[in-house]
Amino acid sequence: MDSTRLQTPDRRFWTPVRVLLLLLVVPAVWIAVSQRSAKYADTDVAAARDRLRAAAFASVQNGELQREDGAVYAVDVTQLATFAAMSNDRALYNPLREIILTQLLVERVPGDPAHGMVAWRYRPNPPEGELQQDASGTTEALRAAEALWHGSEAFGLDEDRATVALILDAYARHAARDNGTWMIRNYFNLHPDIYNFITNSFLVDYDPDLLTTVIEAGLEGKEDWDQVVAESAKLIDNAQTPAGLLHQMIRPEVATVMPHLVGDGLYSANGIEQLSNVLTVAERCARTNPAVSQRVLEFARDRMPQLRLYYHADTGRRLRGEQDTWAGVETWAPLLRLAVKLDDRRTAEVATRRVIGQSSGLPEYDGPDRMYRLGEALLALEYAMEYAENGSGPDP
């Protein structure tokens, strides 16, 4: 007998052993990975969130919300207020709520077209001849309504439900049909010599999921919110590009002179889209337009972790040269929230790490959009915490 044969393991013996080892090792690795994810969520995310929250709270307490032009911007206040409500942080929420109600909410006599609108900014000391509230903001109205809605739910502020209805009615009055295209006009000019709507729109001015949530909760207004939801969802469907991005510009009057360029009035400026805006729209139509949101998610997921801020709208190609900009926290934060809403755990985990890393310097950051970035990051990290603990994001 060949002596080397005696030293060769019998495959009939080793095959079941290998299977047994795999059955023992794979679950152990999976448990270790799961424990690491849980530990990550409970420690790293919470620590990052608490550090950013402390920085935001200090700025609010010290009255440091004004940007370089001296104005308080609604997007800075409202996003942060939504985080405060979702995290049951009454100490942070109260002063932000006060700003929304006393500085940003446009109060006129009932019947005035501007009554209940939300100003896009508030200037305590405007230049001579200019206004403290110079124009409404439709994105800002949606964010204010969202913050007050979550605050009313979290803190039992039933009186704010009526304010939410007032704001959403004023938002709905921005609706118009131009050359056959329905849209929410971007803003209302509050200067008494103009006092009228502008005739263009941006896709970030739409949030059919928020309106769906308040309708389902039984809130009612004077305007037809159901129609706003239906028309918004249709517009978002039509805005999706072949690459899976979303055209942000809506200017139907341009289509009358350049139909070969912009079709029905939906287009991208210079054929380029900013991914942060696309993700912001996608996360706010995940219920009404799940297929659209899923395509946007897949676009970003397929390019992780090397996400850029700008892409060619129709082809999805990244830009080259000086415009080839890395995605920052303003892009990763809405991606994280979108991934949670669509239950994409892998994307959520990658985005969570990116948000933590890219927001680490925000407490010391002194750029004009500091508060906006803090709000974006904090709201995303709150979603990450809820997702890790409960397997889903915060209640809509």
Side-chain angles (χ1 to χ4, degrees), residues 178-181 235 238-239 250-253 255 259 262-267:
D178 187 355
N179 290 296
T181 298
L235 187 70
N238 292 338
I250 303 133
R251 296 189 65 183
E253 75 276 10
V262 299
D264 57 3
L266 288 161
Y267 68 104

Side-chain angles (χ1 to χ4, degrees), residues 1-30:
M1 183 181 292
D2 187 349
S3 60
T4 59
R5 186 174 179 82
L6 293 173
Q7 299 172 11
T8 303
D10 189 337
R11 290 185 178 179
R12 289 173 298 177
F13 170 77
W14 281 109
T15 297
V17 170
R18 289 189 182 112
V19 172
L20 180 61
L21 286 172
L22 285 172
L23 290 173
L24 292 173
V25 171
V26 170
V29 171
W30 176 253

